[in-house]
Amino acid sequence: MKLGILSDLHLGYERFHEDAYAQASEALTSAAAAADALLIPGDIFDMRNPKPEVLAEAINLFRTLEEKKWEARVVSLEGEGRLFTDVPVIAIPGTHERRAHGAADPVDLLSLAGFLVDISEATAIIEKGGERVAVCGLGGIAEERFREALAQRNAQPVKGAFNIFLFHQSVFELLPFSKDFINLEELPKGFDLYIDGHIHSRVEKKVHGKPFLIPGSTVLTQLKENEQDAKGFYIFDTETGKYEFHQIKSRRFVSAKVDVDGKEPKEIKEAVRKRIDSVLRECSNPIIRIELTGRMKEGFKHMDIDVRELAKSYEGRAVIEISKGSMEEIGLQLKEGHAKGALEQPVREFGLGILVERLKKNGYALKVNPTDLFDILSADVPKEKALKKAMDEIFER
Ligand SMILES: [Mn+2]
């Protein structure tokens, strides 16, 4: 059987809403055309309570899948939940969709409507011409509860079938930030293929001697350096054990550093423009993230560089994000400049300086840029909400 594996579609993702829809659509359609069954390890939606418009988008996408003449069929479901279709489109909710136990999440809705089979606490058997594939799923859950959920579930391979374990969690070997993250060797044994969602860049590894695949998201969400690879999906052949990554048309993302050492704001702007223009010659309407690094010429301050105006001048041609978080001046400001400096600076820049200083002192090495972190934490929302968003950015996506 040929299995199409795609993940983290993030329908409704606000920043790149159209990209999320268009790229999910291409991934689903192309994967369905090439595969006997589709497996989606979580985060079909970007939120647990999608607006009706976003639900409509999802229904439109999944209804098209239902129209294909699938030879393979889901013949049984063991565990919690019910079968409302035999169409072999199988999914679990991810961390973005997860709600309290018993509360309906948006993946439940798609399942109830008969568009897919939700296996967040179940094993589905797919059959095609005598071949059986068993997919054992475990929906996304808070990281600190995953080991307990695994033990409780006691996932077992099904005899006489090709066995897949499908989940949506952080893995310690890939994100060594928390002891809560599962180690690959702790995953249940005896499966022929392990599929994980949650991590937005593509990963191919081995677990218990068998392939472990993360297809990555179909849409860009974080603007991290490792998200520059093309987006797409896997086709896995259960007969040969071989798999191939298929690219989709996704908006190009370029992450680049521009050195500001000894430069004046005018020269820095020119250097940034030069870098952006060189990308624009290669592709249209990309997303470009520029990180300014080093120390500017004496006598100038980082706020003399108007990054907003610079970014705005590319409106309609590119999405530009310019980060000053790695400029030395921001870190040094507190040491050199005292209260007087604080009075001269806009509050935002001063606060950013303090945050970067503290993070450096504590050996901060996570991938969320300090500037981004500052923006999230200082957003105009209740404190708990801002903190939660920051934690989500760092650990969840
Ligand atoms: Mn995700």
Side-chain angles (χ1 to χ4, degrees), residues 288-306:
I288 306 174
R289 180 190 164 87
I290 302 275
E291 194 181 335
L292 303 178
T293 63
R295 192 171 191 185
M296 298 170 72
K297 191 172 174 179
E298 202 85 16
F300 291 97
K301 287 198 164 67
H302 63 86
M303 58 203 179
D304 296 337
I305 320 166
D306 189 348

Side-chain angles (χ1 to χ4, degrees), residues 7-10 41-46 94-96 168 197-200 217 221 396-397:
S7 189
D8 293 77
L9 316 178
H10 285 273
D43 285 359
I44 290 175
F45 295 94
D46 190 58
T95 30
H96 279 252
H168 183 101
H198 194 50
I199 293 172
H200 283 192
S217 62
T221 57
E396 294 223 331
R397 275 189 181 154

